[in-house]
Amino acid sequence: MAITRSTDLSLRLDRIACEGHGACAELLPELLSLDEWGFPIVHSATVPPELAAHARRAVAACPVLALRLDRTRP
Ligand code: SF4
């Protein structure tokens, strides 16, 4: 499982659960792209506040719940 940190959010990708649907990378191209097999590559270790809404949409679009956003601050 890859973990990326931001000022207050962590984007977590469960590579075992991921089935390579690609919806996440379409909705969050600033942080994710797809490899040649259609599986996401996390490009940034941060989720800037201005991308938080896009990140939430990407998480919601994942049909197998392989992508999560966790708060890093209470
Ligand atoms: S939407 Fe979910 S299953 Fe599809 S590539 Fe992204 S993390 Fe994987």
Side-chain angles (χ1 to χ4, degrees):
M1 176 176 290
I3 301 173
T4 60
R5 300 277 179 215
S6 76
T7 54
D8 64 349
L9 294 174
S10 293
L11 184 63
R12 293 175 174 254
L13 173 63
D14 183 340
R15 296 185 188 280
I16 303 298
C18 175
E19 295 181 351
H21 296 284
C24 57
E26 288 183 23
L27 293 168
L28 193 59
E30 299 88 347
L31 301 181
L32 300 169
S33 64
L34 300 179
D35 67 15
E36 60 188 299
W37 297 282
F39 289 89
I41 299 168
V42 179
H43 285 284
S44 174
T46 62
V47 179
E50 64 270 21
L51 291 179
H54 292 254
R56 289 189 182 95
R57 275 194 286 266
V59 167
C62 179
V64 295
L65 306 178
L67 199 61
R68 289 176 34 201
L69 272 178
D70 291 334
R71 288 212 172 272
T72 56
R73 287 189 209 164

